[in-house]
Amino acid sequence: MVFLDIAMPGLTGLELAGVLAAFREPPAVVFVTAHEEHALEAFDLSAVDYLLKPLREDRLAEAVRRVLDRSSRAPAGPRPVPDEQVRVERGGVTRFLPRSAITHVEAQGDYARLHARVEGETASYLVRTPLATLEEEWADAGFVRVHRSLLVALGHVQEVRMEAGRCTVLVDGTELGVSRRHTRTLREVLAGYVGAR
């Protein structure tokens, strides 16, 4: 579980909760804050509880109980949609790569380089598809443009960092720069992705 305040440096607690909710296995989030006016937004992001400061011991215990109750329940709802297979070629060999294995995509002229984690190994493949086409076709699968030459898969994002006005994302152990233009819109894109799930 993650306990978040609303007012934090860099991302706000609400924005960070949106990022966490986009993870493949999101943690339970409990807000602990003095800002009571954000409760509805917090529950829209599937927060388990919203505690107001000064914190009471009985309310904290109740929040922990709710998290434990939630984690003990079996997940409900429809089964996930089957993963799309992406055709790639390397060294005269054609492979079919699960799109969920792709961590990020780099533009290389009219081509795109797919970076993937396959059977525990990092691999890359060049495909004859422009980045703009992949951005449009894979948007519903959680691929977001963070730079004019870069898409990232939200399911593989480990961290979003804000340092000295510069934003980066950590994807499968690789730190990738987010352009200023996309830094401003990344939070909205993340929130939209969470809402569409």
Side-chain angles (χ1 to χ4, degrees), residues 111-135:
Y111 293 78
R113 180 162 297 279
L114 310 179
H115 295 269
R117 166 85 42 190
V118 182
E119 297 172 0
E121 300 285 331
T122 300
S124 71
Y125 304 90
L126 198 62
V127 295
R128 284 180 191 253
T129 309
L131 192 71
T133 301
L134 294 178
E135 178 185 16

Side-chain angles (χ1 to χ4, degrees), residues 22 28 32 37 92 95 122 124 126-127 130 132 145 149 152 164 167 170 175:
V32 182
E37 66 272 20
R95 293 188 65 179
T122 300
S124 71
L126 198 62
V127 295
R145 190 184 289 250
S149 62
V152 298
C167 183
L170 189 67
E175 189 171 9

Side-chain angles (χ1 to χ4, degrees), residues 9-192:
L11 297 176
T12 69
L14 292 168
E15 290 164 339
L16 180 55
V19 172
L20 294 173
F23 286 7
R24 191 182 309 273
E25 295 181 13
V29 172
V30 174
F31 282 91
V32 182
T33 182
H35 302 276
E36 62 183 16
E37 66 272 20
H38 298 290
L40 287 177
E41 293 172 81
F43 287 115
D44 283 345
L45 291 168
S46 301
V48 176
D49 210 337
Y50 194 92
L51 308 179
L52 290 175
K53 297 176 183 176
L55 191 59
R56 295 192 340 255
E57 188 175 341
D58 61 322
R59 280 295 289 122
L60 177 61
E62 172 67 13
V64 172
R65 186 193 60 74
R66 288 181 183 182
V67 170
L68 295 174
D69 284 352
R70 187 180 111 160
S71 65
S72 67
R73 281 187 244 128
R79 296 182 66 81
V81 176
D83 197 8
E84 179 178 315
Q85 300 294 303
V86 180
R87 184 174 177 246
V88 295
E89 294 182 23
R90 188 165 66 181
V93 176
T94 300
R95 293 188 65 179
F96 293 91
L97 184 70
R99 184 172 58 188
S100 62
I102 299 169
T103 60
H104 61 288
V105 184
E106 286 182 279
Q108 293 193 339
D110 291 334
Y111 293 78
R113 180 162 297 279
L114 310 179
H115 295 269
R117 166 85 42 190
V118 182
E119 297 172 0
E121 300 285 331
T122 300
S124 71
Y125 304 90
L126 198 62
V127 295
R128 284 180 191 253
T129 309
L131 192 71
T133 301
L134 294 178
E135 178 185 16
E136 183 178 334
E137 292 178 355
W138 292 359
D140 289 343
F143 284 80
V144 175
R145 190 184 289 250
V146 296
H147 190 277
R148 65 182 174 82
S149 62
L150 191 63
L151 293 179
V152 298
L154 289 176
H156 288 280
V157 172
Q158 297 163 304
E159 295 178 2
V160 178
R161 299 176 179 171
M162 290 290 298
E163 293 177 357
R166 180 173 171 265
C167 183
T168 60
V169 289
L170 189 67
V171 178
D172 194 37
T174 303
E175 189 171 9
L176 303 169
V178 179
S179 70
R180 287 186 181 215
R181 174 178 169 233
H182 291 95
T183 296
R184 291 193 297 268
T185 59
L186 180 60
R187 295 169 185 166
E188 293 174 12
V189 173
L190 285 168

